[in-house]
Amino acid sequence: MIELSDVRYGYDGTALLTDINLALVPGSFHFLTGPSGAGKTTLIKLCYLELTPSGGQVMAFGRPASRMRRDEIAMLRRRVGVVHQDCRFLDHMNLRDNVALPLSVAGESLTAHRAEIDELIAWVGLADRAHALPAELSGGERQRAALARALILSPDVILADEPTGNVDWEMSLKLLTLLIELNRMGKSVLIASHDLNLIRAAKGQANARVLRLRAGRLEMAGADL
Amino acid sequence: MTLISDAMSITRPERGSDGVVPPTGFTARLTQFTAAGMAFLAVFALALSMATERLADRWGEALAQSATIRISAPSEQRAAQTEAVLEILGATPGVAQARALDATEQQALLAPFFGPDLPVETLPIPQLVEIVTAPAGFDAEGLRLRLRAEVPGAVLDDHTAWRRPLIAAAERLSWLGIGAMALIALMTAAMTTLAAGSALAANRQVLQVLRLVGAQDGFIARAFVRRFTFRALTGAALGTLAGMLAIWSLPEVATGGGFLTGLGFSGAGWLAPLPVPFLTAVVAFLATRMAAFRALRAIP
Ligand SMILES: Nc1ncnc2c1ncn2[C@@H]1O[C@H](COP(=O)(O)OP(=O)(O)OP(=O)(O)O)[C@@H](O)[C@H]1O
Ligand SMILES: [Mg+2]
């Protein structure tokens, strides 16, 4: 559904990523690892078209991204749920409205989707925090809310950048189980993570491939994982 | 102000981008204030333009359809020359009517200068013959030549010489009013662009997040456009009303001959300022929309 071919990218002319080939197809489950600063977040941004590659091509749902108009990019993003590493909420709206934001911008009525919104918020364990502002949430609560927001439109592709960085092991496993469940339903999942335990746990339950960014290139991780 | 805000929130739809873009209170209110001031000025410019147009029309009409012949002759020849002039005029194509003024009328004409007690009969004042021209007009040069040959004491004064510059001045003044209105519209556009631009810049992070979760540019722009258009509309409505009240309360310029006119609207002219708020809203709408789309282009 999202396919990167020979993609290159660098900030300010530097070469951060080279020859990136990656296909997120229905039912695929990827982990993305690599040292801090390797370019994991950058790669995810290339996948949802926040960044434009300096070389190569990004295809999204069968269309070359370089030829998409801004409105098409917006429509594409409704099919791609992203958990941003820094969460990126609207600070003036409470958690519930932030989670429901993709519905709002898609012109959906929140009243009509009330049950789904509340169910999802309860699932990530934030039912009692639904009316808190983002600034009043802990790091882990923010990450869980970000995951809920990424899933609210039931996207075909889920890109999660360190979704479990700030939550305890039990909650990490719970979130992972949710993502594996969604993956079984045919959604394509990519998780950027440093957490080797999480990756091992996932490999036990799902057909997960582990990719590693090293020196700007994407490679399959070895048997050490 | 809360009353107005509350009234406005009723017109807000339950969903849509208004709910997700944080309040743009100060800049929006600034736009409202500017719109009010601009509308107030626009009403005056409109009044100026219409008053001078009216003036030019009045002068043009009143003077275009009339001409005068002055007969300066010794009193014993006066009646005969007047008779001759009327005869010539009767035979001139384009002259609808010709009439010698009587003593009372002549006195009335001179009264503003010499007072009402002037003994006109005893003074060597020229006899005046008033000509009302047909719409097509007459050949002034031809008439002048004929008068010179047949009635040496008669001089044709067809007013054109001093009418033209006056009308030109009035028309220029009228254009000045229109130019001022155009300038006001431009300034409204500029102010709205600045205010909307600053609101958009202050909300850059919000725009980024909205784009990331799949908002289309039109959706985001609408929140800003709605707010600034509405503020401009209400502000301009207040300003227009204030301008109309101010003009209405100006002292009436009472002129006997109706030759001059005051700065004001007359009759249906009072309807002329009514489009001002709507035009202001249209200007604000377009300016905000352009500013919004330009700001959004910089956001992936
Ligand atoms: N907007 C930017 N402008 C310039 N350089 C940037 C920008 N964003 C990231 N970088 C640089 O690009 C490199 C890769 O950043 P990126 O965020 O992709 O790394 P990462 O693998 O996600 O790291 P982490 O594991 O710490 O999240 C880093 O060296 C970072 O400093
Ligand atoms: Mg990162």
Side-chain angles (χ1 to χ4, degrees), chain A residues 155-166:
Chain A
D156 300 315
V157 179
I158 299 158
L159 306 171
D161 199 350
E162 305 279 2
T164 60
N166 286 310

Side-chain angles (χ1 to χ4, degrees), chain B:
Chain B
M1 222 34 152
T2 30
L3 191 73
I4 295 172
S5 304
D6 285 352
M8 270 160 43
S9 67
I10 294 171
T11 67
R12 237 172 240 166
E14 184 205 342
R15 351 177 215 140
S17 49
D18 262 327
V20 299
V21 173
T24 32
F26 179 68
T27 41
R29 216 159 302 142
L30 205 61
T31 308
Q32 195 169 30
F33 177 74
T34 313
M38 291 297 179
F40 188 85
L41 294 178
V43 170
F44 272 89
L46 192 62
L48 171 72
S49 174
M50 289 179 69
T52 48
E53 210 170 298
R54 205 158 56 220
L55 201 59
D57 281 354
R58 202 175 296 175
W59 287 351
E61 261 168 44
L63 299 176
Q65 289 172 11
S66 70
T68 319
I69 288 177
R70 222 170 338 115
I71 303 163
S72 319
S75 47
E76 64 275 12
Q77 288 177 31
R78 215 163 130 153
Q81 291 208 5
T82 306
E83 204 50 45
V85 164
L86 288 175
E87 208 163 293
I88 292 172
L89 288 174
T92 307
V95 173
Q97 206 183 314
R99 190 175 66 85
L101 298 192
D102 62 29
T104 347
E105 286 172 309
Q106 300 231 66
Q107 181 155 21
L109 279 178
L110 293 171
F113 305 99
F114 299 110
D117 300 326
L118 188 73
V120 180
E121 308 79 34
T122 64
L123 288 173
I125 290 173
Q127 169 67 47
L128 295 180
V129 174
E130 187 189 75
I131 302 172
V132 177
T133 55
F138 60 89
D139 172 17
E141 246 354 271
L143 182 61
R144 218 168 254 138
L145 286 173
R146 217 178 141 194
L147 285 174
R148 197 176 301 154
E150 297 178 25
V151 194
V155 176
L156 172 67
D157 180 2
D158 69 352
H159 305 170
T160 34
W162 61 277
R163 183 175 80 218
R164 277 210 192 96
L166 272 181
I167 294 172
E171 272 166 1
R172 190 115 13 114
L173 210 55
S174 173
W175 278 108
L176 202 67
I178 291 170
M181 282 187 285
L183 202 61
I184 288 168
L186 281 177
M187 279 158 68
T188 308
M191 272 299 300
T192 316
T193 304
L194 287 175
S198 110
L200 286 156
N203 284 295
R204 194 182 155 82
Q205 301 228 351
V206 172
L207 305 192
Q208 280 173 340
V209 172
L210 290 175
R211 279 294 300 175
L212 288 182
V213 297
Q216 295 186 327
D217 288 351
F219 174 87
I220 303 172
R222 218 170 297 142
F224 292 90
V225 169
R226 268 183 72 88
R227 291 173 195 188
F228 283 88
T229 304
F230 200 85
R231 292 285 185 172
L233 179 67
T234 51
L238 287 175
T240 303
L241 191 69
M244 286 170 75
L245 282 176
I247 284 179
W248 179 70
S249 67
L250 284 178
E252 194 99 19
V253 183
T255 51
F259 207 65
L260 290 173
T261 177
L263 184 66
F265 300 106
S266 61
W270 281 102
L271 296 176
L274 295 187
V276 167
F278 300 100
L279 293 177
T280 310
V282 168
V283 166
F285 174 87
L286 294 174
T288 311
R289 210 177 137 77
M290 274 169 61
F293 278 98
R294 195 167 45 231
L296 281 163
R297 263 203 301 278
I299 291 168

Side-chain angles (χ1 to χ4, degrees), chain A residues 48-51 69-75 77-78 80 82 84 88-93 98 101-102 104-111 149 153, chain B residues 14-23 203-220 293 295-300:
Chain A
Y48 66 83
L49 313 188
E50 183 172 354
L51 296 175
R69 286 177 290 112
R70 288 178 61 81
D71 279 356
E72 290 177 272
I73 292 176
M75 297 311 284
R77 286 179 182 158
R78 295 180 192 177
V80 180
V82 183
H84 303 273
R88 317 193 72 165
F89 293 120
L90 291 183
D91 295 326
H92 65 285
M93 294 191 339
N98 266 292
L101 189 60
S104 305
V105 307
E108 300 280 335
S109 145
L110 298 194
T111 342
R149 187 181 73 181
L153 285 183
Chain B
E14 184 205 342
R15 351 177 215 140
S17 49
D18 262 327
V20 299
V21 173
N203 284 295
R204 194 182 155 82
Q205 301 228 351
V206 172
L207 305 192
Q208 280 173 340
V209 172
L210 290 175
R211 279 294 300 175
L212 288 182
V213 297
Q216 295 186 327
D217 288 351
F219 174 87
I220 303 172
F293 278 98
L296 281 163
R297 263 203 301 278
I299 291 168

Side-chain angles (χ1 to χ4, degrees), chain A residues 35-42 44 85 161-162 192 194:
Chain A
S36 181
K40 301 182 291 298
T41 299
T42 306
I44 286 177
Q85 195 168 9
D161 199 350
E162 305 279 2
H194 292 292

